[in-house]
Amino acid sequence: MSVSAMSQMTFDGADVVSTKHIQDEAQLGETVFDAVTSELTWLFVGFLAIQFLIYLGVLPKMNLFSVLSPAAKVKVIPDKRKAALKAVSAAASSGQTKDVLEVWNSERSRGAFPLDVLKEFAQALAAELAESLVATAKAQPNSRTREILIEAFAAAGNEARVLAELKEEATARGLALATRGFLKSGKLDPALATFVTALDRDMAIPPRVVGDLFKVAHAKGPQMVQRVLEKLGGREVEVPTECLAALLHDCLKRDDVSLARQLEALALKQESAKHYSVFEPLLKLHAKVGGTRAVELFEEMQGAGLFASEGLCGNLLAKCGETQNLKFAEAIVEYLRGRKMLSLSIFKTLMKVYATCGRYGEACDLYERVLAEGFEPDQVMYGCLVKFAVKCNRYDLSQLLFRKCKSGDIQNYMWLIRAAGQDGNVDRALELLREVEASQQVVPDVAIYNATMDVCVTNGRVEDARKLLEEISRKGAANLITYNTIMKGYCSKGDCGRARNVFREMEAASLKPDSASFNCLLGAMVSAGNFADAWKLFDEMSRKGVAIDHYTVSIMMKVAKRARNPKDAQRALAVLDQARGVRVCEDDVLFNTVLDALISRHDMARLTKVLDEFSASSVKPSVHTYGLLIKAYSMLKKPTRCWDLWREMVETRSIIPNTITLSCMLDAIVCSRQVDRAVSLFEEFKGRVPPNTVMYATLIKGFASAGEADRAMEMYHQLCADGLQMNLVAFTSLIDAHARVGRMKEARELLKRMEEDGCEPNVITFSAIVKGYCMEGNLDEAFAVFEAMLTRGLTADTVIFNTLLDGCVRHSGFQLADALLAKMEEYSVEPSNFTMSIIVKMWGKRRQLDKALEVVRRNAKDGCRSLDSQVGCCLLSACFLNQAPDRALEAFAEMKRWAAHAKPDASTYSTLITGLARKELARQAAEVAFEACEAGALQQPLGDESLQLLFRALQRQGLAEELGEPLAAKLRAAGMHVPGLSMRDGPHGGESHYRRAPAPAEATSAEKAVLSAAAAGSLTGGLRSSNGAAPRTCKAEPQDWMAARRALGAQR
C-alpha cells in the first residue's frame, strides 16, 4: 500500500476537513478551535500511522508488560540487514525520504526494526503523510498548516523542503519550529542556520528552543557550544537558567575558563539568569583559576540578593589556597563575619590559605582572632600554628602554643627544636631532646635526633652533631638522613675531605648513599669551583644507579652558569636532557635556576623547550619567576608574551612587581625597540616600586640604541635628582649613547667623570668607545683606546675584538684584521658567531671565497657552536658578492647538515632567494621558496623584499603562470604575505644589491716588512674556536704588534 493510498484511506475513514472548510478557515483566520482541530488531526494521523505500521508488521503487537518484561530477548541482526539499516540513517540525515521508504518496503517483511531505525521510518512517514494530506485536501496551506509542515519536514531532516516552505513564508513561529524540528533530528547546522535567520530578522525565539539548541550543541562537545556563541555575535537571547547552569558546571569540570567567560557575559545580560545555580559554578571556576573577577562576582551575587552558604564559602576558601588568591579569601571571611557564620573550620581553612601564600605571620595572627570569636583551636590547629610560628621566627609564640597543646607530641617537639635552631639556641634544642628522652608520654625516634643534629650543624656546632651521631649509632638507630646531616655540616664549612670520610662510613654501615648524599658532596665541590672532582662524583653516582633528582639538576645548572670552559657548560646542560623524571616547572627554585642558566648560556633550543613545558603546566609563578620568564621570552624575541605575563601578574593576580621584575620588563620593552613605552611603564609604577639605578640604566640603554643621546642625558639628570648613584652599567650605557651618534668628545668626558665618581670602567665600557671610533673610521683612536685598556690590566674579550675586527673589515683594513685574529688566539678569546660572520664577510670582500668556505667548513666539522644562521647568511652573501651563485647553493645544502641551532632560518632562505633573483636565476629561487614553505620549521616569514624580487624575476622570465601562481598559493597556505605586483605595468629590474668592492691596494714593501712581524697570512684562513686545535703562528710580542700597527698608521 502506498503512502498516498493510505492518506486517501484516512480521509475516507474519518470526516476530515473539506475544501470549503479550509477556505473558510483561511478567511476567518486562526482561532482556538482551528488550532485544537489541527492538533487533533495530526494526533489522529499519527495514531493511524502507528496502526498501519503494526498492520504491515513493521511494529510488533505488544503491550506495556511485554515491553518491560526482563525476559524479552534481543534478536541478533544479520550483517546484510545491518548494512541496509545503516543506509537508513545516512538517507534520513541527508533528507532523502524516498530512500528511507524504499528500505522500509524491502526490509519490513524480515521482522521488527530497532527503535532508532524505527524513529527514522516514523519521521519519514510523518513527513510524507503531511505532504500527502495537503495534496489530497486540494487546498493551499495557510500559515498554521505551513508551520506544522515545516516542523514535520525539519524533524525528518529534509532541509530542502524546509527551505522551500520558509521561502514561501517565514514567520517567527515557523523559524522556531524549524529550529526545534532540526534539533529533534540531531541536525545542528541547519538548526543553527534557521536560528540565526530569526535573529537577523529581529524575531523572538522562545527560550525553550534556545535551551534545546544549547543542549544539542553541548551533547556534541564544547566546540559546538563555542560555535553557537560565535553565531550569536553578542546579541541578546534569553537562555533558560537551568541550561546555563548545566553548561557552566561542565566548564567547571573541564576548567574551560574561556567558554565560561562567554557564557557568563550572556547570563549577566538577563535578569532571570542571576540565580544561585549560575553564580555557584562561576565562583568556583574563577576561584580555581585566580584573579580579581572572583571578588567581583561574589559582590554581584550579594547584590542580587542571593545567599552564599557556609559550605560554598568553605569550598571557595580552599580553592583560594590553591591559587594564592588572598583578596578573595579575605572577602569571603568578611562576608561570613557580617552574617555571624564564622566557624573554627573556616578559620582553619583561612590559616592554610595564608600558609600556602607564605604569609606565616598572618596565619599566626589568626590565633587571637579565633579566641576573640569565642572558639578554641583544636589539636590539629595548634600543631599547625606551632609550625607556622617557627617558620616566621616567632619563637615566644611557638612556646606559648606548645604549652596550650593538651599533649606534646613528637612533631610539636621537633618544631620547637627547629625554632630553637632558628633562634641560634643550640643548648635549648639539646635540652628539648633530653626532655623528650625523659618523657613518659613521648617515645623518641631517630627523626627527633636528626632534627637536633640539623640544628647543631646549621649553627656551626658540627662536633656536637658528631657526638649525637655516635650516640645514635650505639643504639643502632642511625639512618641515611643521620649521615647526610653530618655531611652537610662538613660541606657547609668547605671541608669536603671529612665529608667524603662520612660518605665512606655510611657505606661501611651497609647504608647505600642516596641522591641526597651525592647532592650534598656535589654542591660543596661546585661551590668550591672543583668541577673536575664534581664530574668524577657525578660519574660514580651514575655507575651506582642513583637517579638524578631536582637538586642534582639545580647543582648542574650552577655549573653551566659559572663554568668558563664551554665543554663543562654543555655537559652540565646535557644533565637537563638526561633528567627525564624531573619536572622542572613543578619546583619554583629549580625552575628559576634552570631559566637563569639557559639565559646566561643563550641556549635558545633548551630554553624554548622548558618554556613550552611551563606553558602547558598549571604552575602559578612567583614574582621572581615572572621576572625570569619575561627575560627569557625577551631573549626569544617574543615581546607579546612578555606583556601577557606582565598583565597576568599585575592585573589578573594583583601581584605588585618587585624592582627586579620591573627591571626585567623594562629591559624587554627596550629590547623590542619601544623605549617610549618603557618610560611610560616606569613612570606608572614609580610610586609603587622604588626606582633604582638599574631601571635608569635600562632606559639609558634604550635611548642609546635609538640614537637619542640627549634623552639619555635627561635620564641621567633625573637619576641624579632622585638621589641615586650611577653605577658601571649606567655610565657605560650613557657613554655608548654618545659614541653611537659620533659624540666622541662627550663620551671621553663621561669616561673621565665616571672615574672621578670612583666607578672603574670595564671592558664593555672601553668597547663602547672603541665602537664609536670604528663607526667614524678612526681606527687609530680605536686602537689607542684598546691599548689603554690593556695597560690597565683588563683582559680583552670577544666583544671588543669583534668591534675592532668589524671596524677593520668595514674600512678595508685587512692587514690589521689579520693581526687582530692572531691576537685573539694569543689571548685565548673564544670566537663567537659574530666573529665568524665578520671573518666570512672579510674573505668575501677580499675576493677569497675559498678561505671563507674553508673557515666555515672546518668549524662545522669540529661541531663549533659559533656557527649559526647569521654566519650562513654572511656566507651566502659572500658567494653572491663573488659572482658564485652555484657555490651559494652548494653552501646552502651544507648548512642543512649543521647542528639544529645553526640550520637555515627565514633570514637564510631570504638571502638565498634575493641573491638568486638578482642573478636572474628565477627558477632556482622559486625552488628555494617552495622548500621554505614546505619546511614548516621557520619561525618567521620570508622577507617581503626577497619575495618581491623573486616575483619580478619570474615575470621577466615568463614564469609567472608556471611558477608564480603556485608559489603564491603555497605562501598563502604557509601564512606568508604575497607581494602584489602589476602584470600590466611590468616589474622593474633592480641593480644588484651586491656591489663589487674595489680590490685592496697592494701593500708596499715597507708595509709588508712592518706587518710580517705581527702575523702570518695563513693564520686567518685556519681560525678555529677554542674547541679546535688550530696552531698559533703569531710569534710577535704585544709591544711588537702595537708598534707594527703604529708604523703602518704613520705610513698611511
Side-chain angles (χ1 to χ4, degrees), residues 905-963:
D905 60 6
S907 178
T908 319
Y909 276 98
S910 298
T911 302
L912 182 58
I913 292 169
T914 299
L916 292 171
R918 289 185 184 278
K919 298 298 180 186
E920 296 300 324
L921 299 172
R923 188 176 294 277
Q924 291 91 325
E927 289 174 1
V928 175
F930 275 114
E931 181 184 317
C933 294
E934 294 169 358
L938 299 184
Q939 298 293 324
Q940 300 291 333
L942 295 173
D944 285 344
E945 182 183 357
S946 62
L947 291 176
Q948 201 168 37
L949 287 169
L950 170 57
F951 278 99
R952 285 175 177 168
L954 290 171
Q955 289 175 15
R956 284 195 299 272
Q957 297 179 27
L959 298 173
E961 185 175 352
E962 178 188 347
L963 296 175

Side-chain angles (χ1 to χ4, degrees), residues 868-878 895 905 907-909 911:
D868 64 0
S869 57
Q870 180 183 348
V871 177
C873 288
C874 291
L875 184 60
L876 294 176
S877 298
M895 290 175 206
D905 60 6
S907 178
T908 319
Y909 276 98
T911 302

Side-chain angles (χ1 to χ4, degrees), residues 291-307:
T292 58
R293 180 58 184 151
V295 180
E296 295 170 0
L297 266 176
F298 195 58
E299 292 172 353
E300 290 174 17
M301 181 180 179
Q302 297 172 57
L306 299 174
F307 173 78

